[in-house]
Amino acid sequence: MIKPSKSVLLIDDDKFVNFYNKKILKKHNPSNTITSVNSGAKALKHLQDAMDGLVEKPSIIFLDINMPAMNGWEFIEAYNKINPEFTFDIKIVMLTTSSNPEDQERAIKSSLIDDFINKPLSLKILHNTLKGFKV
């Protein structure tokens, strides 16, 4: 089995999607620490807490694009301003329902985004995603 992340941050405004993704991640590796937040702003707060040593730093982030208030792209812009010494080893996977080819192109061109996959997450998709990461 591929060694997945020890700590995962799920960013999606849909509670059911976060619940479902937690189940998939736990099925893949029951020892994962999984935190889900429903907005980019809450995710940035979680990352600040991790920098302050209050919570575990995520190894991987699953990020939705289409969210109210702060969408995935706006999160990426804010994330890019975080100290790179902290973020250098965090993998970001866009996990989205977006069928817009521009979103996929933009993700591929971004040095911050490590993968772009469509919902729903499955064990097979998770396995294929993680096998390319050294987490």
Side-chain angles (χ1 to χ4, degrees):
M1 175 171 27
I2 292 164
K3 182 183 171 195
S5 166
K6 292 179 184 170
S7 180
V8 178
L9 177 59
L10 300 172
I11 309 170
D12 198 305
D13 61 313
D14 186 321
K15 287 180 186 179
F16 175 76
V17 169
N18 280 332
F19 175 81
Y20 175 81
N21 289 340
K22 275 185 179 181
K23 291 282 191 193
I24 295 293
L25 287 159
K26 282 291 187 182
K27 206 177 260 193
H28 185 75
N29 185 345
S31 66
N32 275 344
T33 301
I34 303 166
T35 302
S36 63
V37 295
N38 62 4
S39 72
K42 288 181 182 175
L44 292 171
K45 169 75 169 95
H46 180 81
L47 292 171
Q48 181 60 55
D49 288 348
M51 284 187 278
D52 294 339
L54 302 174
V55 297
E56 188 175 356
K57 175 183 170 181
S59 309
I60 188 167
I61 296 171
F62 287 93
L63 173 64
D64 187 24
I65 294 176
N66 300 313
M67 297 181 288
M70 176 184 276
N71 68 33
W73 296 117
E74 293 165 332
F75 170 83
I76 289 294
E77 288 175 25
Y79 178 88
N80 194 33
K81 295 174 185 169
I82 297 173
N83 184 341
E85 290 180 15
F86 176 79
T87 61
F88 81 98
D89 59 346
I90 299 173
K91 304 294 185 189
I92 298 180
V93 176
M94 286 214 145
L95 179 60
T96 182
T97 57
S98 175
S99 58
N100 184 342
E102 291 175 9
D103 283 334
Q104 190 164 10
E105 276 183 49
R106 188 172 174 189
I108 290 168
K109 289 178 182 175
S110 173
S111 63
L112 298 174
I113 300 169
D114 297 284
D115 204 351
F116 183 97
I117 56 179
N118 288 101
K119 293 177 188 175
L121 189 61
S122 68
L123 283 172
K124 182 179 180 179
I125 291 170
L126 179 61
H127 177 79
N128 288 337
T129 298
L130 294 179
K131 76 180 176 183
F133 297 164
K134 292 181 172 125
V135 292

